[in-house]
Amino acid sequence: MNILKTFMRRLGSLIVTLVVMSVVIFVLVEIMPGDVAEMILGQSATPESLEALREARGLNDPIYQRYARWAGGILQGDLGESIYMRGVAINSILWRRVGHSVLLAFTAFIIFVPLSIFFGVLAGVKAKKLTDSIISFFGLATMALPEFVSGVFLIGLFAVQLRVFPIVSIIPIGESIFSNLNILILPALSITFVMFGYISRMQRSSMILVLNSDYIRAATLKGMPYKYVIFRHALKNALLPTITIIGMNMGWLFGGLIVVETLFAFPGMGSLLMTAIRTRDVPLIEACVLLITAIFAISTLVTDMLYGLLNPRIRYQGDAQ
Amino acid sequence: MNSNILEIQDLNVNFSIFGGMISAVRNVDLTLAKNESIGVIGESGCGKSTLSYTIMKYIAPNGQISGSIKFKGEDLLQKSEYEMRKYRGDRIAMVYQNPYSSLNPSLTIGFQLDEVTLFHRGVSRKEARELSLQALRDLNLGDPEGLVRRYPHQISGGMQQRICIAMAILCQPDLMILDEPTTALDVTTEAVILDTISELREKFSMSLMYISHDTGVINKVSDRIVVMYSGEVVETGPKQQIFEHPNHPYTRALINCIPRKGMVKERYRLNTIPGYVKRRGASEGGCPFEQRCQKKTPGCVEAYGMREISPEHTAACDRAYATDVPDMMDKLIKSHPVKSMPDGDALLEVQDVHKIFGKKRKVYAVDGVSVSVKRRSVLGIVGESGCGKTTLGQTAAGLYTPTKGQILFDGTDISVSWKKRSPEMLKQIQLIFQNPGRSLNPSHSVEQIIGRPMKKLMEISSAQQRRDMIIDLLKKVDLSKEYLKKKPPQLSGGEQQRVAIARAFSISPNLLICDEPTSALDVSVQSSVLNLLGDLQEDTQAAYLFISHDLHVINYISDYIMVMYLGRICEYGKRDEVIRPPYHPYTKALLSSVPEIDPSLEVGNIRLGGQLPNPTKTIPGCPFAGRCYVQAGKICETTKPPRVNKSDSHFFYCHLDDGA
């Protein structure tokens, strides 16, 4: 009951966040320099034709009317039309890209989450021993490398030398991503490089903290086997902070992979946003940024709910005392 | 046949730290017979806990153990980690100081109980659950079936500790080690738990090793006492012997530190032990207590070692008190008894103050309290945790504003937040908190800490003038001027509290609110802080609002005592009117729960079951009715108890005219 109540409350605040963000995004993009009509018609357009277009598209209306029209469209599932691509509906470009991004994020997720948690736990259990030093060194080294460096390195190794994966992640025209799943591997590995050090260090320190706690001592002195103490008593508590960190990065993972996607020419959200900004495609920028915001907000909500499920202290906050 | 459960011989534990080896436990010889109970006492840092963890063979990786620990004839120190598992939790069980942190927050109580028998007895899950329920029933815990499904944070501290004890008895161990199990709990809960422990010991014929800094608790549960100082056993013997004829100067000093029943500030100074427990390097020898001993002679370094005083009683010092001083308190009587209790007019007047926290879920922290602190007097407020004593103190200090009611200081209404009080008023009321380490800014020097209120409220802008005054103040609290530049983390707990006291007195307040100022300190430090507070009160004529859960401390320092329960007053009056004899059943129960250290004293047997009622509900009748053992009838549940005036200054709230 309680969890449902919390969920509804959080959902409410999520909607408020999205509404506020949509206003902010709309206003920000509006005050960006550049005239939409001029962009559509080009430099050589006559003032009369520009004016006619503005009038036809409602660009002369006051900003709140234009916002209402835009927001109303979004509510009905209409994200508007791309300017640069000459009136192609954004819906027809964006969702395909989102699908690709989700697939990439998912691939990266199933690689780096178990990997970094496993090695983080291992480093925490073997704290200050050789195993820990090696893991920590590797974590720090990969964390320090920007993704465009590690990405280039991966391309050099796997695509140029070993030739097991394609250099760029382009899907041939007429094919879907599912027949080209191998293009996901290199970008996903590159993301893993970025995340591994971060998550594993987080996991290591929370593991050390938990292992030093009184209840771990109590469990050990109850005569429980070492491995049992680690897995049954320590792990769940040690995972909590890590889950928060992973959750906080989910938004970035789903929508903010601009550098990685650009590097591999991966047809995802990030590279689409990059293109939209480069071509000043205002409706497309707005749609992309709003979607990324929504993903951020939803992943935070999911993280918090998951955290509550795992942590009984939060789950039962209402009837404690 | 050897009936000893535990035989420790020549046990040494050293830790290698940066810069050398320190000795935590040294040359300890100890035996524990079947069904015997020994109490280990000593201040913090004396190696009591290290000794107990060493028995479990659980020490930090930088520790080194030598000697032997024979448990039922087998040397535990020769066992591998794998073999030790068969002892831990099965043959030797342990209960810890802090039950809340000793239970895993993300596992249910049932799970944590079941796993003990699952591993040690190899039973099925169903059988394990049955055994767990049985253990909970053995501890007289109501609704065991409901309890096993709950999580540790959902039950009270006293319940948590009982769960920990239930966990310890699951395999009916031969030896149970209890490391300060009741230190974090209220006296009423403590009394119940101590009774339970004694019962269980009978029932399962367990041997007990009870570690505590509280001689009163040790007196209650132990047959034999081991006094530890700086890692060594300095005296051991039967309880009666130790309390009546303590031979080692440390034992004697420790016993005398505690404000006992009947000790009041007008007549007695508390004994103090100058200095603090020093960490010793593994190579340092000689008597560990030498530096703090008042009876030391030049021969103390050589003539040192355990000696027999009587067949059962040995001490590491047989000269100091060879001819026993009959009344140990003789020399502690103040040379000039302090003038009798002041009957001045009211300095602080609390009028029907209510403090309700929260809007939706209301917590009635203070529920209609009217009381006054007389000029130049000490009002002691006592009660269990959650009774609203701290909230009342902080409301008077302006940290909270009362929801209803008025607070008058010297006739001025101060029922507002401290932010709205005039600098003059802020100067009048000062606070001392329980934990000086957390209430002093760790990055400020002592000079900055004490000087700041002078600068802000007294507007003394000359740094030199302030420094002179600070040095004067430090002298008053027995600190030298070397402390000026030190920062709180460099000071011991007692020194920190002295700095906090100096800070409070730096602007000559008329009212000092002391919120459990000695609860976090060792007994020897507590006594010196209490002496200091008593002296300062005499010198400065300030009034105190002294909050404590410790009735001995309250009895020692207070002129007036107020007993609180669930945000309301139970009893109020002059000290002796409240304490001897107590009238309100709750006062009586509190007094009866306090562990006494004089084995010859009759101990009360009133035990309060249950816990504080839910503070979010208003109670139509007497708040204490649910736990009261002498009820007047149904009226207790339905009608607020009337005020019974015993004298001009003494009243209590009860339906029974004479209380209990």
Side-chain angles (χ1 to χ4, degrees):
Chain A
M1 238 17 249
N2 225 316
I3 231 166
L4 195 67
K5 225 157 121 192
T6 319
F7 179 73
M8 293 315 286
R9 205 177 55 231
R10 291 296 309 265
L11 199 65
S13 72
L14 182 128
I15 290 166
V16 173
T17 310
L18 287 182
V19 170
V20 171
M21 277 316 291
S22 71
V23 173
V24 172
I25 291 164
F26 191 78
V27 170
L28 273 181
V29 176
E30 280 303 309
I31 58 175
M32 257 175 35
D35 179 30
V36 178
E38 206 178 281
M39 229 173 283
I40 298 172
L41 295 180
Q43 293 280 335
S44 54
T46 59
E48 294 75 29
S49 56
L50 283 174
E51 189 52 41
L53 183 72
R54 284 196 195 107
E55 203 54 51
R57 291 211 155 200
L59 292 174
N60 285 336
D61 294 343
I63 188 163
Y64 62 88
Q65 278 188 13
R66 278 179 288 139
Y67 172 74
R69 211 160 40 227
W70 176 67
I74 290 172
L75 286 181
Q76 290 164 24
D78 175 18
L79 293 171
E81 291 169 2
S82 162
I83 293 171
Y84 183 70
M85 286 174 243
R86 306 286 155 185
V88 176
I90 291 176
N91 272 331
S92 66
I93 324 164
L94 187 67
W95 296 110
R96 197 170 122 92
R97 294 294 193 107
V98 170
H100 294 167
S101 274
V102 167
L103 209 57
L104 175 59
F106 179 73
T107 314
F109 188 83
I110 54 171
I111 299 176
F112 83 77
V113 168
L115 207 66
S116 40
I117 286 182
F118 174 77
F119 282 105
V121 168
L122 189 65
V125 172
K126 303 270 179 202
K128 291 185 181 164
K129 295 199 178 121
L130 185 65
T131 322
D132 173 33
S133 305
I134 294 170
I135 296 170
S136 293
F137 172 78
F138 190 71
L140 269 179
T142 54
M143 211 160 77
L145 280 183
E147 54 266 52
F148 52 84
V149 177
S150 56
V152 168
F153 167 76
L154 287 172
I155 291 173
L157 183 65
F158 290 105
V160 178
Q161 295 295 323
L162 301 173
R163 293 171 185 273
V164 280
F165 297 118
I167 296 176
V168 286
S169 308
I170 294 172
I171 305 168
I173 294 170
E175 286 183 34
S176 101
I177 190 160
F178 293 100
S179 48
N180 292 279
L181 285 178
N182 61 345
I183 64 167
L184 289 168
I185 303 299
L186 286 186
L189 277 180
S190 180
I191 296 165
T192 305
F193 263 56
V194 181
M195 296 301 287
F196 175 77
Y198 189 38
I199 307 280
S200 67
R201 286 186 72 78
M202 198 67 211
Q203 183 61 61
R204 173 185 179 268
S205 59
S206 81
M207 194 67 195
I208 290 175
L209 202 73
V210 168
L211 285 180
N212 281 325
S213 69
D214 286 356
Y215 57 84
I216 293 302
R217 180 184 68 192
T220 310
L221 294 187
K222 261 164 36 177
M224 302 294 116
Y226 183 64
K227 277 186 185 150
Y228 178 85
V229 171
I230 301 280
F231 285 108
R232 215 61 194 94
H233 281 265
L235 198 58
K236 196 171 165 191
N237 294 302
L239 279 177
L240 291 175
T242 317
I243 286 172
T244 317
I245 293 296
I246 293 174
M248 276 162 60
N249 282 291
M250 285 315 276
W252 174 79
L253 203 55
F254 279 116
L257 296 171
I258 295 177
V259 177
V260 174
E261 290 190 2
T262 311
L263 180 71
F264 290 94
F266 183 85
M269 275 273 283
S271 54
L272 181 67
L273 178 62
M274 194 64 200
T275 319
I277 291 170
R278 216 171 36 223
T279 56
R280 298 195 175 216
D281 195 341
V282 173
L284 190 55
I285 297 175
E286 285 168 342
C288 285
V289 176
L290 187 65
L291 194 68
I292 292 171
T293 312
I295 291 167
F296 260 99
I298 292 167
S299 60
T300 310
L301 173 74
V302 171
T303 313
D304 286 357
M305 298 313 293
L306 200 63
Y307 191 86
L309 277 176
L310 286 170
N311 190 346
R313 268 177 291 188
I314 291 184
R315 194 192 321 162
Y316 292 100
Q317 214 161 38
D319 58 56
Q321 277 194 347
Chain B
M1 229 358 240
N2 191 344
S3 70
N4 285 340
I5 286 286
L6 188 71
E7 281 179 9
I8 298 177
Q9 265 166 8
D10 198 28
L11 183 71
N12 281 281
V13 180
N14 293 328
F15 289 101
S16 61
I17 54 158
F18 187 76
M21 295 283 278
I22 55 156
S23 153
V25 171
R26 67 162 77 183
N27 308 336
V28 168
D29 291 305
L30 198 73
T31 54
L32 181 59
K34 192 167 170 57
N35 201 18
E36 191 189 20
S37 164
I38 57 166
V40 183
I41 56 172
E43 289 170 275
S44 48
C46 282
K48 310 184 296 289
S49 292
T50 311
L51 175 66
S52 62
Y53 288 119
T54 309
I55 295 172
M56 289 290 225
K57 217 179 161 196
Y58 185 82
I59 63 166
N62 62 341
Q64 293 168 8
I65 315 176
S66 68
S68 76
I69 300 175
K70 287 218 168 87
F71 178 77
K72 293 167 105 178
E74 303 232 21
D75 192 348
L76 295 183
L77 295 182
Q78 306 303 323
K79 303 278 177 202
S80 68
E81 190 68 8
Y82 177 76
E83 289 168 312
M84 273 314 286
R85 268 179 19 209
K86 297 192 172 59
Y87 290 92
R88 293 174 179 165
D90 185 356
R91 298 333 309 151
I92 311 174
M94 203 159 168
V95 178
Y96 314 88
Q97 172 166 3
N98 203 331
Y100 180 68
S101 62
S102 299
L103 291 168
N104 193 329
S106 62
L107 299 173
T108 60
I109 286 162
F111 183 94
Q112 298 186 55
L113 284 167
D114 294 351
E115 60 183 7
V116 177
T117 42
L118 279 175
F119 275 95
H120 291 301
R121 291 284 170 273
V123 294
S124 71
R125 280 192 182 277
K126 220 175 141 206
E127 288 166 319
R129 179 51 56 92
E130 200 37 60
L131 287 167
S132 303
L133 292 173
Q134 184 52 44
L136 294 176
R137 276 182 221 118
D138 282 338
L139 270 107
N140 300 322
L141 288 168
D143 187 26
E145 284 83 3
L147 214 48
V148 289
R149 282 196 300 271
R150 313 194 79 178
Y151 285 91
H153 68 277
Q154 293 174 295
I155 58 175
S156 70
M159 286 281 258
Q160 287 168 354
Q161 194 60 292
R162 272 174 272 189
I163 299 290
C164 289
I165 294 172
M167 209 175 278
I169 59 159
L170 271 170
C171 290
Q172 307 186 354
D174 299 306
L175 170 63
M176 183 146 115
I177 301 173
L178 300 115
D179 188 0
E180 308 252 14
T182 58
T183 308
L185 305 174
D186 274 316
V187 274
T188 49
T189 319
E190 173 179 88
V192 176
I193 286 184
L194 293 182
D195 287 351
T196 314
I197 289 170
S198 299
E199 262 171 48
L200 291 172
R201 176 187 156 205
E202 285 303 312
K203 195 167 172 183
F204 301 120
S205 55
M206 282 187 295
S207 304
L208 292 187
M209 182 164 154
Y210 198 105
I211 294 163
S212 179
H213 69 282
D214 187 336
T215 37
V217 170
I218 292 286
N219 176 37
K220 250 180 164 173
V221 292
S222 313
D223 311 326
R224 207 150 56 81
I225 288 178
V226 173
V227 184
M228 279 188 84
Y229 186 80
S230 192
E232 292 188 42
V233 172
V234 293
E235 186 161 4
T236 167
K239 174 166 74 181
Q240 200 86 2
Q241 273 280 317
I242 296 277
F243 281 128
E244 284 172 13
H245 306 286
N247 238 278
H248 196 280
Y250 179 63
T251 316
R252 190 162 292 233
L254 196 64
I255 293 172
N256 282 346
C257 279
I258 300 163
R260 280 189 275 177
K261 213 174 199 169
M263 282 183 79
V264 288
K265 65 176 174 193
E266 295 99 273
R267 291 193 55 214
Y268 302 104
R269 273 189 86 73
L270 296 171
N271 189 24
T272 59
I273 313 175
Y276 53 93
V277 185
K278 257 197 175 161
R279 271 187 173 184
R280 286 196 300 164
S283 53
E284 287 173 62
C287 175
F289 192 57
E290 186 240 356
Q291 282 181 325
R292 299 172 80 184
C293 186
Q294 292 169 326
K295 288 269 182 183
K296 77 170 169 203
T297 59
C300 270
V301 178
E302 298 94 59
Y304 164 72
M306 292 298 268
R307 264 157 272 213
E308 195 169 276
I309 285 151
S310 67
E312 292 260 272
H313 184 185
T314 50
C317 183
D318 60 351
R319 300 166 312 282
Y321 292 100
T323 48
D324 213 349
V325 184
D327 185 356
M328 291 176 286
M329 282 193 288
D330 256 5
K331 62 189 166 81
L332 302 166
I333 294 178
K334 282 187 180 173
S335 49
H336 59 291
V338 181
K339 67 223 163 320
S340 67
M341 224 179 277
D343 274 321
D345 53 333
L347 179 69
L348 179 82
E349 264 184 278
V350 174
Q351 292 171 349
D352 193 33
V353 162
H354 293 250
K355 179 67 200 173
I356 302 169
F357 290 109
K359 289 214 172 77
K360 253 191 187 160
R361 263 179 93 252
K362 287 180 177 171
V363 174
Y364 299 86
V366 178
D367 196 11
V369 167
S370 302
V371 73
S372 61
V373 182
K374 307 260 192 298
R375 223 174 273 280
R376 294 182 291 279
S377 77
V378 178
L379 171 67
I381 305 181
V382 69
E384 287 170 280
S385 51
C387 75
K389 51 190 194 305
T390 294
T391 310
L392 185 66
Q394 303 205 337
T395 310
L399 294 173
Y400 301 128
T401 51
T403 313
K404 206 181 120 190
Q406 233 186 358
I407 302 171
L408 299 176
F409 185 86
D410 222 354
T412 319
D413 184 5
I414 55 160
S415 338
V416 288
S417 152
W418 62 273
K419 289 176 202 152
K420 292 181 186 157
R421 295 183 183 179
S422 67
E424 198 46 43
M425 189 55 71
L426 290 176
K427 233 177 80 180
Q428 300 282 339
I429 306 177
Q430 284 298 310
L431 278 150
I432 304 175
F433 298 96
Q434 173 170 2
N435 201 321
R438 277 187 252 160
S439 55
L440 299 176
N441 189 331
S443 57
H444 282 185
S445 69
V446 167
E447 185 177 5
Q448 280 172 303
I449 289 167
I450 304 178
R452 196 174 162 78
M454 291 180 163
K455 197 164 148 191
K456 293 272 170 193
L457 294 172
M458 301 239 295
E459 286 165 6
I460 302 168
S461 46
S462 148
Q464 189 54 45
Q465 200 187 342
R466 281 205 305 268
R467 176 166 295 182
D468 291 342
M469 291 172 71
I470 293 168
I471 292 173
D472 252 17
L473 273 164
L474 284 178
K475 213 180 278 167
K476 273 191 193 148
V477 298
D478 297 325
L479 295 175
S480 62
K481 69 177 183 193
E482 276 76 59
Y483 284 88
L484 276 180
K485 291 278 163 256
K486 291 197 179 175
K487 291 184 175 169
Q490 297 167 274
L491 309 177
S492 71
E495 287 167 338
Q496 286 172 348
Q497 197 59 294
R498 280 163 195 277
V499 171
I501 292 170
R503 190 206 56 79
F505 275 102
S506 66
I507 46 177
S508 334
N510 272 322
L511 176 68
L512 191 64
I513 297 170
C514 310
D515 192 353
E516 305 260 13
T518 62
S519 305
L521 306 174
D522 260 319
V523 279
S524 69
V525 184
Q526 162 174 300
S527 60
S528 68
V529 168
L530 285 177
N531 279 343
L532 175 66
L533 283 172
D535 292 346
L536 284 171
Q537 203 238 340
E538 221 184 305
D539 291 349
T540 62
Q541 302 280 306
Y544 289 176
L545 184 72
F546 198 102
I547 297 162
S548 178
H549 68 282
D550 188 334
L551 254 176
H552 284 313
V553 170
I554 287 286
N555 181 51
Y556 175 76
I557 197 96
S558 312
D559 300 309
Y560 293 85
I561 293 177
M562 172 163 97
V563 182
M564 275 184 84
Y565 189 80
L566 207 69
R568 296 192 203 160
I569 301 180
C570 284
E571 188 162 359
Y572 169 88
K574 287 186 179 163
R575 178 188 61 222
D576 290 350
E577 291 174 331
V578 173
I579 299 286
R580 30 174 102 161
Y583 281 89
H584 195 282
Y586 180 62
T587 316
K588 216 165 194 178
L590 269 185
L591 266 173
S592 159
S593 301
V594 177
E596 288 295 340
I597 57 163
D598 194 340
S600 58
L601 259 180
E602 199 189 320
V603 262
N605 53 3
I606 301 167
R607 293 289 175 267
L608 290 185
Q611 36 190 302
L612 286 177
N614 189 345
T616 58
K617 296 198 175 85
T618 40
I619 290 159
C622 173
F624 188 57
R627 296 168 81 188
C628 192
Y629 47 95
V630 279
Q631 299 215 2
K634 258 218 170 104
I635 188 168
C636 289
E637 310 271 355
T638 54
T639 318
K640 275 196 178 161
R643 175 169 162 155
V644 182
N645 290 311
K646 275 283 155 190
S647 74
D648 285 350
S649 54
H650 180 207
F651 61 86
F652 59 91
Y653 290 91
C654 188
H655 287 291
L656 296 164
D657 282 351
D658 283 323

